[in-house]
Amino acid sequence: MATAEPRIPLRGALCRLLLTLAVFSFACEGCEKVTFNIPSELEADKIVGRVNLKECLRSADLIQSGDPDFRVLDDGSVYTASNVVLSDENRSFTIWLSDTKTQTQKKIKVLLEHQKKVLRKRDTKEAILRRSKRRWAPIPCSMQENSLGPFPLFLQQVQSDAAQNYTIFYSISGRGVDQEPLNLFFIEKDTGNLYCTRPVDREEYDIFDLIAYASTADGYSADLPLPLPIRVEDENDNHPIFTEAIYNFEIPESSRVGTTVGVVCATDRDEPDTMHTRLKYSILEQTPRSPGIFAVHPSTGVITITSHYLDRESVEKYSLIMKVQDMDGQFFGLMSTSTCMITVKDSNDNAPTFKQNTYEASVEENAYNVEILRIPVEDKDLINTANWRANFTILKGNENGHFKISTDKETNEGVLWVVKPLNYEENHQVILEIGANNEAPFTRDVALRVATMNRALVTVHVRDQDEGPECSPAAQYVRIKENSALGSKVNGYKAYDPETRSSNGLRYKKLHDPKGWITVNEISGSITTSKILDREAMTPRNDLYNITVLAIDQDGRSCTGTLVVNIEDMNDNPPEILQSYLTVCKPKMKYTDISAVDPDEPIHGAPFYFSLANTSPEMNRIWTLTKVNDTAARLSYQKNAEFQEYSVPITVKDREGQSTTKTLRINLCDCTHPSQCLAARRSAGVILGKWAILAILLGIALLFSVLLTLVCGVVGAKKKKGFPEDLAQQNLIISNTEAPGDDKVCSGNGFMTQTVNNSGQGFCGTMGSGVKNGGQETIEMVKGGHQTLESCRGTGHHHTLDSCRGGPAEVDNCRYTYSEWHNFTQPRLGEDSIRGHTG
């Protein structure tokens, strides 16, 4: 109940009652128009009246006031938003109702008028009501959750001060009355007593916000609506529940004390921040029970390790029964349990150990790529993991690489192999030291405990075997001087029997000899030169000459070795000048450099000595040689040297006097760059080449003319008179000699030859053998070897053919002899050839 307020005049009370009645009178007008009678002045947050919004637009989800001085609640109540003063004229505004889903909008017109009516007094003895202290105010109220009654359960009484002078009726609304849960609360209309009809679950409804109304018999509100909250007091009626029925955690066995394993969590539906929801965690039971390894924080539920005895090899999985209890763990608090499964993950905390300290194995000599021993180890870590798999190492005894050791992935055994043949004669047994560790590194604690890896000794016995000859060393060396005489003998390749360490009874055979320079003695293995050895003839040039030799014993077993012949170099090669043709641009180039090489060893080579060889005084006057370095010289010319091509013979000697002379062609050219002279020579070569081609074509034309003359002569002779039958047996023979003078041919059978020209007939008859006339080649007719054509020499350039049988003779001025043709073409062909070489 609220404290009392000062009494007010009766007129004021009547005005409030009249205002309330006006609100309820016009609330049913819906969307048409609503009129409220109010005083001329209203304070902020004062109720003006109530509008029936549902009759206007039931689905309205947006309510707006057209006047900022007024606000409208969801139930239709209209309040002042600020102090409002009404003038003599009426005031109106609009309430807008909107349904945003259907886009529907309606409005309610609200008209405000000055208040004129007054409340009818209850007792007519007083004309004016006196203002008194009001008790209409929110009263704190609560009820116990899950109350046992009796029901209806009285909660409190609501009373208005206006009830002292007027008949007041009370009503309530809100959740629990006209909203779900329906009919939970009711109020007595006349007394204002508030009741609850049944038990309430706080976890479902923790508070009920009711609104109480006080009104007169004719419907006017005597007071503003009174908010009436009813709080449901919590009862510890809910057990705390773990978020999971079974928790699964993993933790490495090498974890240290204090390492977090996991976190368990529980919830409680009771009221937060009360003893009903203050939870406490604990471990009820651990399986296996001892030793106690885990602990849980009572408030946070964090599980940690408290012991060093976490060993997967002993216990792989732990089960914890976890308890949570509210009321901070007091004995009367509610509790629940959950199971926590903790799996211990393997760490490499166990080193592999050999089952024995010593092992023995045997193997035949010369055997390789064979397995000779399997070495088992024990490891307590998780099988088929990197913590369990072993890595084996040969620590000692394998300096020559005869052995290797690997791991069998299935059995985790060390497999010892011989990968390189052993020799019984060299070593009867080998002692190996084997070590083992894991693929994964040890944990820190184990690494401190195990300073060195586990080790074992393996003794390998080598069994003797009757074996063939041994070619050792595989490559043996001998020395032979270059250019040694044929048949020179030198010690050759020597193999031996490993059992007797002797070479007796072995036979030798040459398998490969690149140049065929050597023969091998079958009994002794010595070698004999079958050819002159030339060190410079080897490709690639090398002092070593390899011969492959096969050694065979009496049982046919063999071995192969290499005899390396070291050919000692002799000074059998003079140095050679690299250049042959040089172009020197005068006057830009004052000199040109020449160089030489010697295929012999450097001891027989440079420094070289260059000099002009057997030259004329003129050549010595023009050209001079000076030394540049051990292998090069500088050839310089005098300023007055003419532009032409020079042939300069130069002699070069090595340090031991071996020499050679080479003639260099040097083109002293008027140019700025040697390429200009080369281009000019190529152009000249092209022009001379045309003359050469023309000469060749003329020669071909001449040959065809001769043949044509022969054919035509034969045809004409058949028409006039017959030739002897043996004329057809004659042959045309051309000799390859030259001499001054001209050749003339006489007819051997009394016929005069026709001139060879473009219009004449061919020479009739068959050409015989060539006859030399002063060294000059001629063409003559021979008939059956009895009649001949002799050369007839005339004077000057007029040649005649004399008949050997007294026949008439004619002067042949149109025919060219072979010597004349040769004299014309040969110089031009020679010049063209020279230009082709120089170009």
Side-chain angles (χ1 to χ4, degrees), residues 57-353:
L57 183 59
R58 182 175 294 273
S59 61
D61 54 8
L62 179 62
I63 304 172
Q64 295 175 311
S65 172
D67 192 333
D69 291 336
F70 300 93
R71 57 188 178 91
V72 183
L73 303 183
D74 292 342
D75 62 353
S77 300
V78 181
Y79 286 85
T80 56
S82 59
N83 296 333
V84 177
V85 178
L86 295 180
S87 60
D88 294 338
E89 299 179 356
N90 296 335
R91 183 172 178 176
S92 63
F93 66 93
T94 302
I95 299 175
W96 297 94
L97 305 178
S98 302
D99 185 348
T100 57
K101 294 181 180 180
T102 61
Q103 301 297 320
T104 304
Q105 189 178 54
K106 290 188 178 182
K107 65 180 179 177
I108 301 174
K109 187 74 173 181
V110 178
L111 179 63
L112 303 178
E113 295 181 348
H114 286 290
Q115 180 179 316
K116 296 179 180 180
K117 294 184 180 181
V118 295
L119 293 174
R120 182 180 297 176
K121 65 181 179 179
R122 183 178 182 183
D123 190 353
T124 58
K125 292 181 180 180
E126 293 184 12
I128 301 175
L129 292 173
R130 296 183 181 273
R131 184 177 181 86
S132 62
K133 184 176 181 181
R134 298 176 57 199
R135 298 172 56 216
W136 185 254
I139 301 173
C141 179
S142 64
M143 61 176 293
Q144 188 66 34
E145 178 187 15
N146 302 322
S147 175
L148 299 179
F151 295 101
L153 179 66
F154 174 76
L155 298 180
Q156 69 172 2
Q157 184 183 23
V158 179
Q159 190 174 12
S160 174
D161 289 344
Q164 298 177 4
N165 299 315
Y166 300 96
T167 301
I168 300 299
F169 298 102
Y170 300 95
S171 62
I172 57 175
S173 66
R175 190 172 66 170
V177 182
D178 54 357
Q179 301 176 23
E180 291 291 340
L182 297 174
N183 303 321
L184 180 60
F185 302 99
F186 71 90
I187 191 170
E188 290 182 346
K189 180 179 179 182
D190 298 326
T191 62
N193 292 334
L194 181 63
Y195 293 91
C196 178
T197 61
R198 57 185 181 271
V200 179
D201 185 3
R202 191 208 66 84
E203 285 69 45
E204 188 174 2
Y205 303 104
D206 57 347
I207 191 170
F208 294 93
D209 292 318
L210 304 181
I211 299 178
Y213 304 96
S215 60
T216 61
D218 50 2
Y220 288 96
S221 295
D223 276 301
L224 294 174
L226 176 67
L228 186 61
I230 299 177
R231 184 174 176 273
V232 181
E233 296 290 342
D234 184 46
E235 183 183 24
N236 190 18
D237 59 340
N238 288 279
H239 291 259
I241 303 297
F242 281 99
T243 56
E244 296 182 25
I246 299 178
Y247 291 89
N248 290 283
F249 300 119
E250 292 183 346
I251 186 72
E253 63 176 324
S254 58
S255 300
R256 299 184 179 183
V257 173
T259 301
T260 298
V261 178
V263 180
V264 295
C265 183
T267 58
D268 196 321
R269 295 182 61 201
D270 290 324
E271 186 174 1
D273 302 323
T274 65
M275 291 294 290
H276 298 163
T277 55
R278 184 173 295 178
L279 306 182
K280 187 174 184 178
Y281 300 92
S282 61
I283 299 175
L284 282 182
E285 182 182 349
Q286 173 187 304
T287 304
R289 294 191 174 185
S290 61
I293 296 178
F294 304 99
V296 63
H297 192 281
S299 300
T300 62
V302 176
I303 302 174
T304 56
I305 296 175
T306 60
S307 174
H308 294 284
Y309 297 104
L310 194 63
D311 185 9
R312 187 204 65 85
E313 288 72 37
S314 299
V315 180
E316 188 174 359
K317 187 168 291 189
Y318 290 88
S319 175
L320 304 180
I321 304 300
M322 306 299 301
K323 182 185 80 169
V324 61
Q325 190 171 19
D326 59 16
M327 302 299 293
D328 199 23
Q330 298 184 56
F331 71 94
F332 51 80
L334 302 179
M335 60 165 284
S336 64
T337 60
S338 177
T339 301
C340 181
M341 303 301 299
I342 300 175
T343 301
V344 181
K345 295 173 61 178
D346 185 47
S347 297
N348 191 15
D349 57 346
N350 292 279
T353 58

Side-chain angles (χ1 to χ4, degrees), residues 445-624:
D445 296 338
V446 177
L448 294 176
R449 293 199 312 267
V450 184
T452 59
M453 66 173 64
N454 200 349
R455 305 181 181 211
L457 294 179
V458 177
T459 302
V460 180
H461 300 281
V462 182
R463 298 195 300 269
D464 188 22
Q465 187 182 34
D466 187 12
E467 51 193 335
E470 183 170 334
C471 294
S472 179
Q476 300 179 16
Y477 293 80
V478 295
R479 300 176 67 89
I480 302 178
K481 290 186 177 182
E482 183 182 16
N483 301 324
S484 295
L486 291 178
S488 300
K489 291 185 178 181
V490 182
N491 292 333
Y493 194 89
K494 286 294 182 180
Y496 63 92
D497 188 337
E499 309 294 335
T500 63
R501 311 301 295 180
S502 171
S503 300
N504 295 333
L506 298 182
R507 293 179 294 107
Y508 298 92
K509 181 180 179 181
K510 182 178 69 172
L511 292 182
H512 180 64
D513 182 1
K515 298 289 186 179
W517 288 347
I518 301 297
T519 59
V520 178
N521 187 282
E522 183 179 5
I523 304 302
S524 64
S526 61
I527 62 174
T528 304
T529 58
S530 59
K531 294 182 181 179
I532 300 297
L533 276 62
D534 186 1
R535 188 190 69 89
E536 290 75 30
M538 290 189 294
T539 304
R541 185 170 298 175
N542 195 346
D543 295 342
L544 303 180
Y545 182 72
N546 296 333
I547 302 170
T548 305
V549 178
L550 179 69
I552 308 171
D553 64 7
Q554 295 177 355
D555 295 329
R557 292 170 295 193
S558 63
C559 68
T560 303
T562 301
L563 183 63
V564 182
V565 180
N566 187 350
I567 302 177
E568 298 181 9
D569 185 43
M570 303 296 291
N571 191 12
D572 57 343
N573 292 280
E576 299 176 2
I577 298 176
L578 298 178
Q579 294 80 9
S580 296
Y581 183 88
L582 296 170
T583 299
V584 180
C585 289
K586 179 184 177 183
K588 184 176 182 180
M589 296 172 59
K590 303 296 184 181
Y591 56 84
T592 183
D593 290 341
I594 58 176
S595 58
V597 295
D598 194 327
D600 290 323
E601 284 290 325
I603 193 173
H604 303 305
F608 300 142
Y609 304 95
F610 297 86
S611 62
L612 297 175
N614 301 324
T615 55
S616 61
E618 181 67 19
M619 191 66 68
N620 287 329
R621 184 184 62 80
I622 297 176
W623 300 99
T624 58

Side-chain angles (χ1 to χ4, degrees), residues 744 754-758 811-817 820:
K744 297 299 177 181
Q754 304 294 322
T755 59
V756 181
N757 51 34
N758 292 335
V811 179
D812 184 4
N813 294 326
C814 302
R815 181 180 179 185
Y816 292 104
T817 64
E820 292 173 341

